[in-house]
Amino acid sequence: QVQLVESGGGSVQTGGSLRLSCAVSGYSLRSACMGWFRQSPGKEREGVATIFTGGGSTFYADSVKGRFTVSADNAKNTVFLQMNSLKLEDTAMYYCASAAADRCYLNGPLVVRSYNYWGQGTQVTVSS
């Protein structure tokens, strides 16, 4: 059974940093795409960052480029999202998702429908 568990969310002031983790079980990260998504109340879920764990390629939404970094520790089956210079608009529930790499190549690495396994989410709240 595939399970994704996010952690590391919390409350932070603007300009601060948080590091999210996603522990994956029942699924090998050897050739997967691992995505981070976020969703605010009343808004659609949007792709934030993706890493292809086989080759290490990464993709980012324009809104987070230069501030967020996605990485993976394949040996520990864990994916991370380092978030720096946080802004008020980064406030959201953050979700980790996984899929076989081919699905992301076909549908896009930051597209919700590329992914078939999802975590429960971790809340990030940025305040001034």
Side-chain angles (χ1 to χ4, degrees):
Q1 182 179 356
V2 179
Q3 190 172 17
L4 285 69
V5 179
E6 303 95 335
S7 61
S11 297
V12 64
Q13 291 189 321
T14 52
S17 298
L18 284 173
R19 189 192 196 205
L20 306 184
S21 298
C22 174
V24 183
S25 59
Y27 193 84
S28 172
L29 295 189
R30 281 188 298 177
S31 182
C33 55
M34 296 296 302
W36 285 97
F37 290 76
R38 66 186 181 187
Q39 188 169 20
S40 303
K43 294 187 177 181
E44 292 188 355
R45 190 168 296 190
E46 62 172 350
V48 174
T50 292
I51 184 167
F52 283 84
T53 57
S57 298
T58 56
F59 295 84
Y60 296 94
D62 288 343
S63 59
V64 306
K65 280 180 182 176
R67 301 188 297 121
F68 289 12
T69 303
V70 59
S71 61
D73 185 336
N74 290 0
K76 295 183 178 180
N77 254 33
T78 303
V79 180
F80 306 96
L81 184 67
Q82 178 66 44
M83 305 187 296
N84 299 327
S85 302
L86 283 161
K87 303 176 180 180
L88 294 175
E89 53 263 40
D90 294 319
T91 295
M93 184 71 78
Y94 283 71
Y95 298 91
C96 173
S98 67
D102 286 352
R103 289 177 62 97
C104 289
Y105 286 128
L106 179 66
N107 297 312
L110 295 175
V111 176
V112 170
R113 63 187 177 93
S114 293
Y115 297 84
N116 45 4
Y117 299 109
W118 293 84
Q120 293 299 306
T122 185
Q123 178 68 37
V124 171
T125 302
V126 184
S127 59
S128 58

